[in-house]
Amino acid sequence: MTELAVNPLQGRRITLAVTGGIAVYKVCELVRLLVKSGADVEVAMTEAAARFVGPLTFEALSGHPVAVDQFSGGMPHLALTRSDTDLLVVAPATANTLAKAAGGIADDLVSAVILGRACPMAVVPAMNDRMWANPATQRNAALLRGDGVAILGPACGALACGVEGAGRMLEPGEILAHVRRLLTPQILAGRRVVVSAGPTYEPIDPVRGITNLSSGKQGYAIAEAAFEAGADVTLVTGPTALAAPVGVHVVRTDTALSMKKALESAVAGADAFISVAAVADWRVRAASTHKIKKESFKGADPVLALEENPDILHDIAHANPQLYCVGFAAETEDVEQNAQKKRVRKGVAMVVGNDASQALGSDMNSVVFAAEQGSLALEGVSKREVARRLASLLAQALDARGPGSRNAA
Ligand code: CTP
């Protein structure tokens, strides 16, 4: 079984080639994020890039000297991607750099680094929309893709030249997420995974409702980990304050009934459903369409009539027997026994029991993965670690069942 490392960037060697465009200033932040995540980053710049941001900035951020000149002694173009380099990232990648990379031209330090690399490469284009749309650039991008190069973006949006269009460099956080995926074993490649997360919101009237303290952090971390492990991920979420994870299809819902409907269509053809949402057990029987006035109770205590919500996980598991379903159970005692009981009661492959007193709103969690084959406990770990362990267990379970939707890909 391939066990995913908790942090795919820890101790990894990344060479960052920076070429000349205004987006260079954003790449400073990318270096900071990569270094903060534990990567060892070496930077090479073109002379054009060094006119936007001086090498000293990148030296300070990476903690290594920055190479700009191909003829500064030694063989920097080869030294910069050694056999132990894990990834070469070219950001921002200009149209000119893409053309040279596609054609095998090496007439400056960065293009020589690209040609002489002994590791996988990702390029992050940044240019004017007409330059990106030009058939020559599209041809070069297709050639690079064919050579196994990962092309990250570009995004659509406001460009430095004052127009809106495709050509904008991905944001540093988005590039970081893709780099994490590129450095993670693709154990869920070809799999479709659906995750539910966050609380639900059951309206009482148009301005009031019943919800709970679920932050959504654990479910979002699982969606992120599944994406990093190569899965095609759909996240069906209740209202949370969290940013959408990069690379994940996000469907926003509010009530338990709307979440159920969204999940029923999302799981069609999927391999796995991870039900992390804290679904309200009851909804208000007759939510008012207008704001309820205090006077309407004439001094008496208001009484809300509730009715039970469907058990989404139970219903989806029973309607889709081929789907590998995982539930979550918030417990305060006997976590393992209660998780195993809940697994049998809901008819699912695994229930992750978590210590409710620790998990709510926190970045940390203590869990027990309770499956038919047995249980595995993780004490006081980050929600990200729980997510990556779950992704490893999921890949193992799906591989044991056969190729699944990989065939359809
Ligand atoms: N769940 C669901 N639909 C509901 C309630 C829960 O799909 N209406 C799912 C949750 O996403 C989670 C699991 O079921 O995966 C939690 O089960 P539940 O029986 O609600 O657990 P607890 O809330 O811990 O229940 P209990 O109070 O019985 O311990």
Side-chain angles (χ1 to χ4, degrees):
M1 164 181 171
T2 307
E3 183 76 56
L4 297 184
V6 177
N7 175 2
L9 291 183
Q10 188 60 49
R12 307 302 286 274
R13 287 183 53 102
I14 296 174
T15 299
L16 182 66
V18 186
T19 71
I22 181 60
V24 173
Y25 80 93
K26 289 192 184 175
V27 173
C28 300
E29 173 67 1
L30 174 63
V31 177
R32 196 187 69 78
L33 293 175
L34 291 169
V35 170
K36 193 171 148 220
S37 305
D40 186 13
V41 182
E42 285 199 81
V43 178
M45 302 178 79
T46 59
E47 280 170 14
R51 292 176 71 165
F52 286 96
V53 175
L56 192 60
T57 304
F58 285 104
E59 269 177 35
L61 290 166
S62 68
H64 291 295
V66 169
V68 182
D69 183 1
Q70 196 174 3
F71 305 105
S72 59
M75 287 200 264
H77 63 295
L78 298 180
L80 274 161
T81 60
R82 302 195 304 245
S83 56
D84 61 347
T85 302
D86 294 294
L87 185 67
L88 169 62
V89 180
V90 186
T94 59
N96 186 43
T97 304
L98 293 185
K100 288 203 278 182
I105 294 169
D107 63 353
D108 63 3
L109 176 65
V110 163
S111 52
V113 167
I114 292 171
L115 193 65
R117 74 185 183 279
C119 64
M121 175 165 86
V123 299
V124 196
M127 64 196 73
N128 161 272
D129 60 332
R130 289 199 304 276
M131 292 173 90
W132 174 249
N134 188 295
T137 306
Q138 290 301 310
R139 197 163 52 236
N140 291 328
L143 278 174
L144 289 170
R145 259 187 222 106
D147 291 343
V149 173
I151 304 207
L152 310 180
C156 281
L159 301 172
C161 50
V163 300
E164 289 267 329
R168 201 182 149 90
M169 191 179 78
L170 296 188
E171 294 301 320
E174 294 174 302
I175 302 170
L176 179 74
H178 285 285
V179 168
R180 288 175 60 88
R181 176 167 163 126
L182 289 167
L183 293 176
T184 297
Q186 298 295 281
I187 55 176
L188 287 174
R191 304 292 189 185
R192 275 202 52 220
V193 176
V194 177
V195 182
S196 75
T200 59
Y201 177 88
E202 305 298 334
I204 296 171
D205 70 14
V207 297
R208 306 183 180 93
I210 301 172
T211 186
N212 60 64
L213 285 177
S214 168
S215 65
K217 285 180 183 171
Q218 185 63 81
Y220 278 56
I222 289 167
E224 197 175 80
F227 165 72
E228 288 169 3
D232 175 346
V233 184
T234 301
L235 173 67
V236 176
T237 178
T240 74
L242 303 175
V246 172
V248 167
H249 316 283
V250 177
V251 181
R252 297 188 187 280
T253 63
D254 44 23
T255 63
L257 292 180
S258 68
M259 182 176 273
K260 182 169 193 233
K261 197 160 169 241
L263 283 167
E264 280 167 347
S265 58
V267 299
D271 297 286
F273 168 42
I274 321 287
S275 182
V276 199
V279 182
D281 290 315
W282 298 279
R283 64 180 176 277
V284 177
R285 188 178 288 279
S288 171
T289 52
H290 59 269
K291 186 177 172 207
I292 301 169
K293 291 287 182 195
K294 248 191 318 232
E295 307 83 74
S296 63
F297 298 103
K298 300 188 174 69
D301 289 341
V303 176
L304 281 179
L306 302 178
E307 67 184 313
E308 201 170 337
N309 273 325
D311 185 327
I312 303 175
L313 175 58
H314 172 278
D315 293 356
I316 284 186
H318 283 77
N320 301 272
Q322 79 299 343
L323 193 64
Y324 188 91
C325 292
V326 179
F328 267 69
E331 305 291 346
T332 51
E333 61 217 328
D334 301 330
V335 179
E336 191 200 337
Q337 286 105 306
N338 286 332
Q340 284 290 11
K341 274 192 219 152
K342 206 162 276 180
R343 181 181 68 74
V344 175
R345 198 174 74 229
K346 302 228 178 196
V348 296
M350 186 194 289
V351 163
V352 186
N354 61 156
D355 183 342
S357 54
Q358 194 185 120
L360 274 178
S362 159
D363 289 328
M364 302 299 283
N365 210 345
S366 285
V367 301
V368 178
F369 299 100
E372 198 179 350
Q373 303 79 355
S375 302
L376 171 73
L378 285 185
E379 290 275 327
V381 292
S382 67
K383 288 186 174 172
R384 189 169 246 180
E385 177 162 359
V386 171
R388 289 182 69 93
R389 290 297 281 268
L390 180 58
S392 304
L393 293 169
L394 182 61
Q396 187 189 23
L398 293 178
D399 286 348
R401 288 174 145 205
S405 71
R406 279 171 202 237
N407 283 343

